[in-house]
Amino acid sequence: MGKYARLRQRLAEGLPHLSFAVAPAATDGQLALAHTPNYIQAVVSGSLPAAAQREIGFPWSPQMVERSRRSTGATIAAARVALGLTERGLAQGEGVAGNLAGGTHHAGRDKGGGFCVFNDVAVAARLMQAEWARLHRHRPPLRVAIIDLDVHQGNGTAEIFAGDDTVFTLSLHGQKNFPFRKVAGDLDVDLPDGCDDGPYLEALEQALAELESRFDPGLIFFLAGADPHEGDRLGRLRLSFDGLQARDRRVFDWAWQRRAALAFVMAGGYGHDLESTVQVQLNTW
Ligand SMILES: [Zn+2]
């Protein structure tokens, strides 16, 4: 957990022109766009079965609930700012905004897992689509692409959006890594252990070309996981700082070329040295 506060501190010191906002807490109604009422109720009241709580990976507390709500609320806020959707209607979007946490992509409709309670990106995607539809009654739905470059597969996100052709889920991940039972998304790229900068960036290029040929997004969520870094304890890949920066630049450029709004979230990062994880994330910002 220490990486979150450290990132906030280093960003404030190093990028003073960023504007920070306190993350609002996602409501039960917002969470219900991606999760079942039973699951939300069980999380909120602390009545998840012990096995389900173990699968999430940390113990229940009121703070855990509040943090999960706010991490989701921050992704909603980032998407709003990027897209220019306010509570009252449309404004000029910033084009890009990020969450200092978020990217909890192992959470599915009715369960959590792998340190993920609520699926922030899924909730934010559905909420932006709903608000967009209210403001643009006679236009096609807002199409959302989720580019998940965390080293672990986005199984929860793939499950939530299965059969939904208004949301495209792309995941590049380590083949032999958690989750061991992967859920097929719209485009999944399995990478071998030890994959380094060259093959990774090549695979990303091919994946973006395929995404582009199949889908035209108005909003993009980017899970900029720090865990493909070579210094990560869980990642099993070998990307350098430069390789990860090239990855990020490619995704930001791709969104910019399409004039699509982009909301980015931090997702995983478990460096042997906490400072190296924070450095990868700082470079993303
Ligand atoms: Zn991860």
Side-chain angles (χ1 to χ4, degrees):
M1 295 300 284
K3 68 182 177 178
Y4 296 104
R6 184 73 184 128
L7 175 63
R8 172 70 172 76
Q9 182 194 1
R10 287 200 58 194
L11 278 173
E13 291 163 4
L15 294 173
H17 55 287
L18 280 180
S19 24
F20 293 97
V22 175
T27 64
D28 289 359
Q30 290 170 338
L31 295 171
L33 293 167
H35 298 287
T36 60
N38 283 346
Y39 176 63
I40 297 164
Q41 191 47 42
V43 169
V44 170
S45 62
S47 58
L48 278 176
Q53 190 68 47
R54 265 200 307 281
E55 208 174 323
I56 288 174
F58 33 62
W60 186 88
S61 66
Q63 291 81 2
M64 185 212 83
V65 178
E66 184 67 8
R67 187 187 182 285
S68 303
R69 281 191 195 277
R70 286 183 184 266
S71 179
T72 301
T75 299
I76 293 171
R80 266 195 217 293
V81 168
L83 202 55
L85 277 179
T86 68
E87 304 269 9
R88 279 188 222 105
L90 269 178
Q92 179 69 40
E94 291 287 334
V96 59
N99 176 357
L100 293 173
T104 38
H105 57 169
H106 299 308
R109 260 195 305 273
D110 62 358
K111 68 189 182 74
F115 311 127
C116 303
V117 179
F118 299 128
N119 194 314
D120 58 312
V121 165
V123 170
R126 285 255 165 90
L127 184 64
M128 292 305 103
Q129 287 187 314
E131 294 188 359
W132 176 269
R134 212 163 44 223
L135 293 166
H136 302 91
R137 282 182 198 282
H138 304 294
R139 286 175 57 187
L142 176 67
R143 291 159 70 81
V144 179
I146 299 172
I147 298 177
D148 185 343
L149 303 186
D150 185 279
V151 84
H152 304 99
Q153 199 239 355
N155 57 334
T157 314
E159 184 235 299
I160 290 167
F161 293 113
D164 183 341
D165 60 10
T166 66
V167 177
F168 192 102
T169 57
L170 161 64
S171 177
L172 254 76
H173 48 259
Q175 181 175 21
K176 296 208 175 133
N177 215 323
F178 179 90
F180 304 109
R181 221 170 289 147
K182 308 207 178 352
V183 177
D186 292 299
L187 180 54
D188 287 289
V189 181
D190 292 323
L191 300 165
D193 283 357
C195 181
D196 58 12
D197 295 350
Y200 186 95
L201 294 170
E202 177 70 23
L204 174 62
E205 205 55 52
Q206 283 179 21
L208 290 175
E210 183 170 345
L211 166 52
E212 189 173 336
S213 72
R214 291 169 55 187
F215 197 80
D216 182 23
L219 172 64
I220 296 165
F221 288 94
F222 171 30
L223 285 81
D227 46 13
H229 186 249
E230 59 195 340
D232 198 85
R233 281 183 290 122
L234 307 179
R236 305 172 72 118
L237 302 191
R238 278 200 213 121
L239 270 77
S240 66
F241 288 111
D242 287 349
L244 283 161
Q245 240 180 326
R247 172 199 75 171
D248 295 342
R249 191 173 298 123
R250 187 67 192 98
V251 175
F252 284 109
D253 283 349
W254 193 84
W256 174 254
Q257 283 156 8
R258 270 148 207 84
R259 298 296 186 265
L262 185 143
F264 63 102
V265 301
M266 296 295 94
Y270 316 92
H272 288 287
D273 172 15
L274 180 140
E275 219 46 54
S276 69
T277 295
V278 172
Q279 187 62 50
V280 171
Q281 295 179 328
L282 195 66
N283 292 346
T284 303
W285 284 87

